[in-house]
Structures are given as C-alpha cells and as structure tokens.
Amino acid sequence: MRKRERENPCGICGHYHKYEEEEVCGICGHRIPLSSDKSSLQVSAFPSLILPGFLYLGSYDNASRSELLKSQGITHVLNTVPACQNLYKNSFTYHCLQDGKILLFDDAIQFLEQCERDKARVLVHCMSGKNRSPAIVVAFLMKSKGWRLLQSYQWVKERRPSVDIGQAVYQQLQEYEQKLYGSSNSSNLVLLSFQPGGAPLNFGLSEVKDPVPVPIPAFSNLGGASIFAHLPPQEFTFGAGQTQKNLSENLANPSGSDIPMDNA
C-alpha cells in the first residue's frame, strides 16, 4: 500500500484498507456493506436498546457514529474485540476486553454493573453486533437478572433479531450458566425459532405440564363388564351370520344386491 494511502485510515474501523474498493480489513474484518445490507443501513446506524435508559447493543459501525451515540445519551462503550480501535476516547469512557477468543464475562459484567450504578448509558459492541457482544449482554442478564441462558438469549434476540451466536461462543455461555447456577439446562440455540412480532415471550419459563388426560369413553368404564352383556341376546348375533327372517327374504329376491351365502 502506498504511503499516501496509509496516511488516510478507514473512517469506520480506523485501520488501513481500501474501504471504497470493497477491500476487507485484514485486522478486524470490516468491509463495505453488501447490496443486501444497504437497505437496512439506515436502521443499523442505531444500536439496539436492550434495557431502557441503560444498555445498548450494536456493531463497530454503530460505535463509530459518535453523534448518534451522543444523541441517545450513551457515555460509556464496552468494546469486546481487541482489534477494534476505540475511536473517541475524549468523548466516551471505554473498556476493552483483552482476549480475542475467550470472552471474559466477569470482567465485562463488572464494568456494566459499575455503569448501572452510575446511571450511565453504555453501548456493548463487537464487529458485527451478532456474536461476541450479544453473548456479553446475555451473560450480564443471567448475572444481574437471575435469568437462565435460554431466557436471556430470547430477550436479546427479540430486541436485535440479527443476533447469531456461534457454537463456540454458545458453549462459553453454557459454561457460564453452569458456573452461576450449578447446571446448564438450555437446549441448543440453533433449534430456537424466533418470529418478530409474535406472541410475548414467557419469561417464567415454567416447565411443560403433562397433557390433560383425554376423557375415557363411557362404555369402557363399566366396572370390567363386557359391553355385550348390556345388549339383548335376541338382537345381537356374532359373526357375519344372518337371522332366519333376513335369509328367507334374500332367497326370495334373487335380483337383490346381496349374494346369499352357501350354507353347505
């Protein structure tokens, strides 16, 4: 890369790559939005509100829009990706996780709890706002609200439908749930179905009760007696036999549809 190009870093991620030419940043993976993403660019400029007046979740693109953050009253930023630069240190209070693979839940939660005590509004972000930062928010909800993993994930997913937590990060969340509660009883998040605008989530997470027994038909509740005992003997004949009267009528009417049976 030529010297002049290195003098002008990307205005979004702060690293040196040809953003306008759709070159992917070799440090943090930042790229120009695809055509399918451009329709939602205006909406994605704003981070997602997780807890009113306190907790926001977003991407590095959200974190780079200082004026929009200020308009929402955000004063603190939790950066979950060490490779992402903290762009506005004079305007926001930053806290950056130092491990790029393992999520340091306790470190992040300690910072968020301090923000909550100070009544400060904080943005939690990663590069895309889909994996690492949602996992931190989920862990915070488990610790601060006393919710289990599935309940916390549903809360975040409802408010930011683009969340897509990877298997490796999900396993760390399972381990954290086990650390907090002594067990992990959450099913795989891949199996969760989310429908925006659907019925409100049941955060009681009560276990599914046994199905209501189907009422037993009255005729089977006769104290063990056979149903045939309640039929008049002269009106019921076992098998496919016919009464003598019916047999005589059939023999007298050979044009009928029924074929008389051979009694031989």
Side-chain angles (χ1 to χ4, degrees), residues 62-169:
N62 300 138
S64 68
R65 302 171 185 268
S66 61
E67 295 304 320
L68 289 180
L69 298 185
K70 292 177 181 179
S71 69
Q72 294 178 298
I74 295 174
T75 58
H76 292 62
V77 177
L78 175 57
N79 181 0
T80 66
V81 182
C84 291
Q85 294 183 358
N86 301 322
L87 301 176
Y88 308 106
K89 294 183 179 180
N90 294 331
S91 301
F92 303 98
T93 299
Y94 285 91
H95 183 77
C96 185
L97 300 186
Q98 298 302 317
D99 197 311
K101 296 182 178 180
I102 299 176
L103 288 170
L104 305 176
F105 292 125
D106 291 331
D107 180 26
I109 290 173
Q110 184 177 359
F111 175 75
L112 293 177
E113 288 176 339
Q114 184 61 51
C115 292
E116 189 173 26
R117 287 191 294 267
D118 296 340
K119 300 186 183 302
R121 299 191 180 192
V122 56
L123 168 68
V124 182
H125 79 86
C126 56
M127 192 62 221
S128 64
K130 296 180 179 180
N131 189 27
R132 286 175 63 89
S133 55
I136 292 295
V137 173
V138 168
F140 174 77
L141 294 177
M142 284 196 290
K143 178 70 179 297
S144 64
K145 301 294 184 182
W147 297 345
R148 299 304 292 260
L149 172 54
L150 179 58
Q151 181 180 359
S152 302
Y153 173 82
Q154 287 177 321
W155 180 274
V156 174
K157 180 73 172 178
E158 185 181 51
R159 285 149 181 80
R160 190 174 178 85
S162 61
V163 166
D164 185 16
I165 295 179
Q167 185 63 33
V169 173

Side-chain angles (χ1 to χ4, degrees), residues 190-250:
V190 176
L191 302 179
L192 289 175
S193 61
F194 174 75
Q195 297 179 348
L201 298 172
N202 178 15
F203 292 111
L205 290 183
S206 57
E207 296 183 357
V208 178
K209 298 181 180 179
D210 294 333
V212 178
V214 177
I216 301 175
F219 65 79
S220 64
N221 191 19
L222 299 175
S226 172
I227 63 172
F228 303 118
H230 296 269
L231 296 175
Q234 66 276 12
E235 296 181 8
F236 190 87
T237 304
F238 286 94
Q242 303 180 33
T243 62
Q244 185 65 28
K245 180 180 179 181
N246 293 338
L247 182 59
S248 301
E249 292 176 351
N250 290 337

